[in-house]
């Protein structure tokens, strides 16, 4: 009797694991005997990397937009005042410093902004 209960518990645990795996998405597959089997979808391991890269791109776009709208002199003076502050402010000034990528994006943003202003 104990052996039957252990087999039942093992089978129940296996079915619970399969059900949880299928809850994240599945696809169906037809075996050679005609039986339709649901296979769990594999999780995309690269998804966190995509989100991180999107965050980095948005950060550079934000820096370029601020640089284009504020102007290089104003932006640099604000960075200088940040670099004289606390450790956190100095770290922020280091992250926000003008780099070649930000400068290139800022030039493109200025062209778009000036073109839109000329149309108004």
């Amino acid at each position: 009797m104990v052996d039957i209960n252990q087999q039942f518990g093992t089978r129940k645990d296996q079915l619970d694991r399969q059900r949880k795996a299928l809850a994240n998405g599945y696809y169906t597959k037809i075996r050679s005997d005609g039986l339709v089997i649901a296979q769990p979808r594999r999780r995309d391991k690269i998804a966190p990397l995509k989100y991180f890269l999107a965050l980095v791109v948005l950060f550079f776009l934000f820096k370029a937009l601020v640089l284009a709208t504020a102007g290089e002199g104003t932006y640099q003076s604000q960075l200088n005042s940040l670099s004289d502050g606390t450790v956190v402010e100095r770290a922020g000034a280091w992250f926000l410093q003008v780099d070649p990528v930000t400068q290139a994006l800022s030039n493109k943003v200025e062209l778009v902004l000036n073109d839109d202003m000329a149309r108004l």
Side-chain angles (χ1 to χ4, degrees):
M1 185 73 166
V2 173
D3 186 42
I4 293 173
N5 285 337
Q6 286 177 344
Q7 288 177 357
F8 175 76
T10 304
R11 178 71 178 141
K12 181 184 164 294
D13 292 340
Q14 182 183 10
L15 288 171
D16 284 340
R17 280 193 306 272
Q18 287 177 352
R19 182 184 53 82
K20 286 179 185 177
L22 293 174
N24 293 328
Y26 63 91
Y27 65 95
T28 56
K29 183 177 173 182
I30 300 176
R31 289 193 332 197
S32 61
D33 61 357
L35 185 63
V36 178
I37 302 292
Q39 298 286 330
R41 288 205 184 274
R42 290 191 173 173
R43 291 191 146 203
D44 192 10
K45 301 286 185 186
I46 196 103
L49 180 63
K50 287 192 286 191
Y51 295 135
F52 177 73
L53 288 176
L55 187 64
V56 168
V57 168
L58 287 174
F59 178 70
F60 277 107
L61 286 174
F62 173 74
K63 279 180 24 175
L65 182 66
V66 171
L67 181 61
T69 56
E72 200 164 334
T74 306
Y75 190 82
Q76 192 60 42
S77 69
Q78 291 295 325
L79 282 180
N80 291 339
S81 66
L82 269 180
S83 63
D84 294 336
T86 64
V87 174
V88 175
E89 290 173 341
R90 286 193 302 251
W94 185 80
F95 278 112
L96 293 173
Q97 68 186 348
V98 180
D99 50 51
V101 174
T102 304
Q103 187 66 47
L105 287 173
S106 174
N107 293 338
K108 299 293 184 188
V109 169
E110 280 180 2
L111 290 175
V112 171
L113 289 178
N114 289 338
D115 189 39
D116 286 344
M117 289 299 209
R119 289 182 187 172
L120 293 177

